[in-house]
Amino acid sequence: MSGSEPPVVLIVEDEPDVAETYNLWLQDEYEVRMAESGSEALEMLDESVDVVLLDRMMPGLSGDEVLERIRGSESSCRVAMVTAVEPDFDILEMGFDSYLTKPIRSDELHDTVSNLLERSTYDGLLQEYYSLVEKQATLEATKSHAELAESDEYQQLSTRVDDLNDELSETLGGVEDDEDFIATLRELSNGDEH
C-alpha cells in the first residue's frame, strides 16, 4: 500500500449483485477489483492487493481453498471471509483475519476493511494476537459456554491469546484490554446498530 495510491480491495464473490453492492459501498475510498470465482481471484492476486473480501461458499474453488492458497503464497494481504456459513470450530485452523456473516451492512464492511488495513501495519506478533482474538470472539458469540468448555481447540486458543497478551504487554508496555475489542466484534456479528 503506497501513500498516494488508494488501497486495493479484491472482492471474491460468485453472486454478481452482492459483489456489485460491496463495490458500490467501497469504490469511493478504495480501488476495488472483483473476481467471480476462486480461480479468477488467484489470477488477480498480486502484491498491490491489500485486502481480500472472500466468499466462503463458491462453486469450483471454495473460499477455504482460496484462503489456503493465498496464505501459501508470498502475498501479505489481509483476508476477510464474508459468508453465510455460520462459524464453527473449524475456523481455528483457517488463516483469515476477519469473519463476517452475511447479510452485512455497509458500515460493517467499511469498518472491517479499515481495521484490516490498519492491522497490516502491525508486526507479526500483534497480527497473530488480533487474528486469534477475532476467532475467539467469533466462537464466543456463536457457541454456548458448554460447547466452549468442551472444546480442546478453544482452550488452546484461549491459552495462546493469554500468552500473546503477556508477551505483547512486555514488549509494548501493555495492550488495550481485549474485552472492548471482543465486545465490538460481538456487536458487529450480532448486527447491533451503534
Side-chain angles (χ1 to χ4, degrees):
M1 187 169 63
S2 72
S4 61
E5 298 292 319
V8 175
V9 177
L10 175 59
I11 299 168
V12 186
E13 172 61 63
D14 63 313
E15 296 180 43
D17 291 347
V18 174
E20 187 55 37
T21 299
Y22 297 165
N23 179 39
L24 291 172
W25 288 347
L26 298 173
Q27 67 185 0
D28 289 342
E29 294 178 55
Y30 307 105
E31 178 185 327
V32 178
R33 302 175 186 169
M34 296 190 294
E36 292 184 11
S37 69
S39 299
E40 185 180 359
L42 292 172
E43 290 172 14
M44 295 176 76
L45 187 68
D46 60 30
E47 69 279 347
S48 69
V49 176
D50 298 298
V51 174
V52 176
L53 301 175
L54 181 58
D55 185 15
R56 192 168 178 191
M57 300 297 289
M58 295 182 293
L61 278 180
S62 71
D64 294 5
E65 292 170 305
V66 173
L67 176 62
E68 195 172 304
R69 292 191 189 181
I70 290 172
R71 291 303 182 227
S73 74
E74 298 294 315
S75 178
S76 62
C77 66
R78 303 289 101 211
V79 179
M81 300 299 281
V82 185
T83 179
V85 177
E86 283 295 320
D88 204 349
F89 290 108
D90 67 330
I91 68 169
L92 296 175
E93 301 302 319
M94 299 171 66
F96 63 81
D97 299 290
S98 188
Y99 196 99
L100 295 172
T101 304
K102 293 177 183 176
I104 61 170
R105 299 181 319 265
S106 173
D107 60 327
E108 286 178 282
L109 196 61
H110 275 277
D111 289 348
T112 297
V113 171
S114 175
N115 289 340
L116 291 178
L117 289 169
E118 186 176 319
R119 263 195 240 170
S120 66
T121 63
Y122 297 162
D123 69 13
L125 194 62
L126 207 48
Q127 285 183 23
E128 180 185 2
Y129 174 76
Y130 280 117
S131 177
L132 293 178
V133 167
E134 175 121 4
K135 290 175 184 181
Q136 185 179 40
T138 299
L139 289 172
E140 288 175 357
T142 59
K143 298 294 181 187
S144 71
H145 290 295
E147 288 173 308
L148 294 173
E150 291 173 9
S151 169
D152 289 338
E153 295 99 333
Y154 177 78
Q155 298 308 319
Q156 292 170 357
L157 171 69
S158 294
T159 299
R160 181 65 180 146
V161 167
D162 291 343
D163 291 347
L164 282 170
N165 192 341
D166 293 344
E167 194 172 339
L168 288 167
S169 292
E170 291 172 17
T171 325
L172 303 174
V175 174
E176 292 290 323
D177 183 4
D178 59 40
E179 291 300 317
D180 287 337
F181 185 75
I182 291 170
T184 301
L185 292 172
R186 281 188 180 146
E187 286 175 13
L188 290 175
S189 67
N190 291 336
D192 295 344
E193 296 290 332
H194 300 325

